[in-house]
Amino acid sequence: MYERGSSALRELAGARELLRNLTSRELKVRYKRSTLGFLWTLLNPLLMMAVFTLVFSTAFKTTIEWFPVYFLSGYLPFAFFQASVMIATGSIVGNAGLITKVYFPRAVLPLSVVASQLVHLLLGIGVLLGALVVLDLASDSADFDFVPYLPVLVLAIVLLAAFAMGMALLFSAGNTFLRDIGEFLPVGFLLWFYATPVIYQVDFLPEDWRWVLLLNPLTYYVQLFRDALYDPHWPAPATVAAATVCAAVSLVVGWTLFVRLSERFAKEV
Amino acid sequence: MPFDSETASLAVPPTIEVQDLWLRYRSSQEATLKRTLVGMTQRRKVTRYVEALRGVSFTVQRGSVCGVIGRNGAGKSTLFRTICGILTPSEGRVVVRGHVTPLFSLGIGFNRELTGRENVLLGGLAMGLAPEEVQEQYQAIVAFAELADAIDYPMRTYSSGMSARLGFAVAVHLDPEIVLIDEALAAGDARFKKKSSDKISELCERDCTVMIITHGVRIISSLADRCLWLDKGRVMAEGPAPDVVDAYLRFEGVLDEATAAEDM
């Protein structure tokens, strides 16, 4: 039972059972009325991979080796981030009925979205790891020895999840006061996708444009996932540092603003 | 018995303590681009405020039943929402000693795709209970709501009466310490209405602290120890229920109590 009037963080800790249940509800409801159900979690990234691989091996003639692996190791974290933020953005406004009727720590709404997306990400990564094992055995030219670098993968997942939580809190609170945010997000994320090296490599970009990638936090997270999966090696300290700083800033800013704005949610939704 | 509650207040702090509570809503003019730009150029404050509560103060003692009466728009519901923590006071102080269960949320309404069972669990958790506590009461909730097998179907298949019954059943079975009841819970058919008002009387007789909003003065006179009368966001009177009800009826010019009771 959560104590009222205690600090916002303690309140959130007290509501972890609610958070856990909301997360599993999120997972259940999403596929409830589709025949393939949970399989879509895995089918979606695989179909995306098929489309991009087809386009990039015919129309664009990519020089990236093992393009499907390169694509998935970048696309899975990006898709996790995008879905987390986009769904979380509507989570406060979308639960207006609840917010005006019951008091509970509001942060459980966006956070349960991120948590459920995290389950999707882990499943996707699990399938990718399986594929890498098979590729490694089947092909002489493939070298996906990711096992010694699993700590890198864990670090990448933890940091990205923290970054996504901060952003989910920020966008969900912001959207309550300025609904235009939700409207802008689809285009915003399209732009963000092309500004992240998911379908290309950093050095494909003209020198003049590299700064965009350096300013984009997702570059560092995608890089970490690639360091763990596509080309297994220990990441550059600068990448880890940048990813950590972005995650910390996102969490602190997102949480602080959310707590401050959440007092007014019931009047705005 | 005013004397008794005075003595009690010396020993234990009141369960609900409201001091000089003000609550302002920003009047919700749509924030269109045009309005925003016009607002910027005119340098004139376009935001207007609606004051729903203007300096409300009162206390409710542990275990007592306090009725809240007043016209539509007097601020009764806003007051309840503030006590629950849904709305934050613009000014003033609200102290609540204990766990509040709001009973104005008809239909737990978490998610219509989920079954009644899943919604009961989520509703209980959102009200701050531990999963085991919800589990303990689960059978009683289902029995009271008279849902039988329907409890395992998605809530989108429920009639509005069914979801209202379930919402009511959840709220009254979670063994509330402090319960806030809004009159709107006259849910379902005549038979269920009777059943729910019996349940409310039972809650009032238990040692939990109850605040109840109603237009029906009969229920106030029979159930409540004290009564709070609000008008346009201010407290008009606070005291022993019969006196306040009497003053309210005289003020409204409806002395005929029988007519007023029909209001409910």
Side-chain angles (χ1 to χ4, degrees):
Chain A
M1 189 181 289
Y2 45 84
E3 285 293 313
R4 289 267 297 296
S6 53
S7 80
L9 261 182
R10 286 242 314 270
E11 243 182 36
L12 183 62
R16 59 187 177 280
E17 277 300 327
L18 177 61
L19 181 60
R20 217 171 52 80
N21 276 277
L22 277 176
T23 306
S24 69
R25 154 200 115 164
E26 200 88 39
L27 291 170
K28 268 188 217 157
V29 170
R30 171 134 176 232
Y31 300 112
K32 207 151 200 176
R33 294 221 237 172
S34 59
T35 321
L36 292 178
F38 219 73
L39 269 181
W40 277 113
T41 302
L42 305 174
L43 268 176
N44 257 325
L46 289 178
L47 291 174
M48 287 296 268
M49 181 194 80
V51 170
F52 276 100
T53 305
L54 188 70
V55 171
F56 277 77
S57 58
T58 54
F60 292 117
K61 300 263 188 278
T62 180
T63 55
I64 299 173
E65 283 180 43
W66 298 102
F67 182 80
V69 177
Y70 182 84
F71 173 78
L72 271 187
S73 56
Y75 179 74
L76 286 175
F78 186 89
F80 156 74
F81 178 75
Q82 173 172 9
S84 295
V85 173
M86 283 186 66
I87 301 173
T89 298
S91 66
I92 300 295
V93 178
N95 282 298
L98 208 55
I99 283 183
T100 52
K101 279 180 190 158
V102 198
Y103 178 81
F104 58 94
R106 312 310 196 190
V108 297
L109 292 174
L111 291 183
S112 67
V113 173
V114 180
S116 71
Q117 290 301 322
L118 192 60
V119 173
H120 294 312
L121 174 68
L122 293 178
L123 284 171
I125 298 256
V127 171
L128 179 57
L129 289 181
L132 291 184
V133 171
V134 173
L135 281 177
D136 209 32
L137 291 175
S139 160
D140 289 339
S141 60
D143 180 22
F144 296 113
D145 187 18
F146 59 83
V147 180
Y149 303 100
L150 280 178
V152 182
L153 181 60
V154 174
L155 181 73
I157 293 173
V158 169
L159 290 178
L160 176 62
F163 181 68
M165 281 184 203
M167 288 291 152
L169 288 167
L170 184 71
F171 278 79
S172 61
N175 187 55
T176 312
F177 298 92
L178 193 67
R179 306 283 159 96
D180 310 54
I181 292 175
E183 299 298 327
F184 172 73
L185 274 188
V187 180
F189 265 105
L190 189 65
L191 199 66
W192 208 339
F193 179 74
Y194 287 112
T196 309
V198 174
I199 48 173
Y200 57 86
Q201 280 173 322
V202 176
D203 49 14
F204 285 14
L205 224 56
E207 297 265 359
D208 292 354
W209 285 97
R210 302 253 171 101
W211 59 270
V212 174
L213 299 187
L214 293 179
L215 282 180
N216 174 6
L218 284 185
T219 305
Y220 305 111
Y221 299 106
V222 165
Q223 185 58 49
L224 281 181
F225 277 89
R226 295 248 164 83
D227 290 348
L229 298 167
Y230 174 68
D231 174 22
H233 65 278
W234 295 106
T239 315
V240 179
T244 312
V245 169
C246 290
V249 170
S250 160
L251 264 187
V252 170
V253 172
W255 175 253
T256 314
L257 271 169
F258 189 91
V259 169
R260 190 165 303 170
L261 292 176
S262 65
E263 288 191 346
R264 285 157 53 198
F265 285 169
K267 288 183 193 168
E268 297 288 337
V269 290
Chain B
M1 280 170 284
F3 181 74
D4 278 351
S5 54
E6 299 275 294
T7 351
S9 72
L10 295 176
V12 259
T15 305
I16 300 173
E17 212 176 334
V18 174
Q19 278 171 10
D20 193 29
L21 173 64
W22 288 74
L23 203 123
R24 277 181 277 273
Y25 288 101
R26 223 174 37 185
S27 88
S28 58
Q29 268 206 338
E30 301 295 313
T32 61
L33 186 61
K34 187 179 160 195
R35 283 224 183 80
T36 314
L37 291 178
V38 168
M40 274 194 250
T41 52
Q42 289 190 336
R43 296 189 55 192
R44 182 169 57 88
K45 283 246 175 182
V46 272
T47 2
R48 272 173 311 178
Y49 290 92
V50 177
E51 289 175 331
L53 295 173
R54 314 166 185 223
V56 171
S57 304
F58 65 93
T59 56
V60 179
Q61 298 300 331
R62 178 165 305 278
S64 67
V65 178
C66 175
V68 182
I69 53 176
R71 292 181 184 173
N72 288 333
K76 304 184 295 289
S77 299
T78 302
L79 176 66
F80 271 26
R81 285 180 182 188
T82 316
I83 294 173
C84 295
I86 295 168
L87 295 172
T88 312
S90 309
E91 273 172 58
R93 217 162 69 101
V94 176
V95 182
V96 179
R97 297 184 177 89
H99 190 75
V100 187
T101 307
L103 217 172
F104 41 90
S105 37
L106 286 185
I108 21 189
F110 246 103
N111 196 307
R112 292 168 49 76
E113 288 293 327
L114 295 176
T115 65
R117 182 190 295 273
E118 290 164 321
N119 272 294
V120 167
L121 178 61
L122 280 171
L125 291 175
M127 288 181 190
L129 278 103
E132 307 82 61
E133 294 178 276
V134 183
Q135 222 55 57
E136 264 169 38
Q137 290 296 323
Y138 180 73
Q139 290 307 332
I141 292 172
V142 178
F144 190 88
E146 299 168 17
L147 284 176
D149 291 345
I151 196 74
D152 283 316
Y153 289 103
M155 277 191 70
R156 73 185 138 80
T157 63
Y158 286 22
S159 70
S160 53
M162 285 161 85
S163 14
R165 290 203 311 260
L166 186 59
F168 182 84
V170 170
V172 290
H173 280 87
L174 299 180
D175 198 19
E177 270 183 278
I178 303 167
V179 60
L180 306 180
I181 304 170
D182 199 328
E183 63 197 352
L185 51 88
D189 49 30
R191 202 175 54 80
F192 194 79
K193 247 182 223 175
K194 169 84 172 72
K195 196 166 151 187
S196 43
S197 68
D198 286 351
K199 189 74 195 175
I200 291 170
S201 315
E202 190 198 313
L203 279 177
C204 292
E205 279 152 24
R206 254 195 272 168
D207 64 346
C208 70
T209 310
V210 181
M211 282 190 82
I212 178 165
I213 296 181
T214 179
H215 285 302
V217 286
R218 190 189 294 156
I219 193 168
I220 291 273
S221 307
S222 65
L223 290 177
D225 311 309
R226 312 273 294 176
C227 187
L228 180 71
W229 168 18
L230 291 180
D231 194 67
K232 295 183 186 131
R234 293 182 199 281
V235 177
M236 294 292 279
E238 199 270 333
D243 302 356
V244 177
V245 167
D246 209 43
Y248 171 65
L249 291 178
R250 205 168 313 130
F251 179 81
E252 294 292 341
V254 264
L255 264 171
D256 184 4
E257 205 171 305
T259 332
E262 292 303 312
D263 249 2
M264 214 202 142

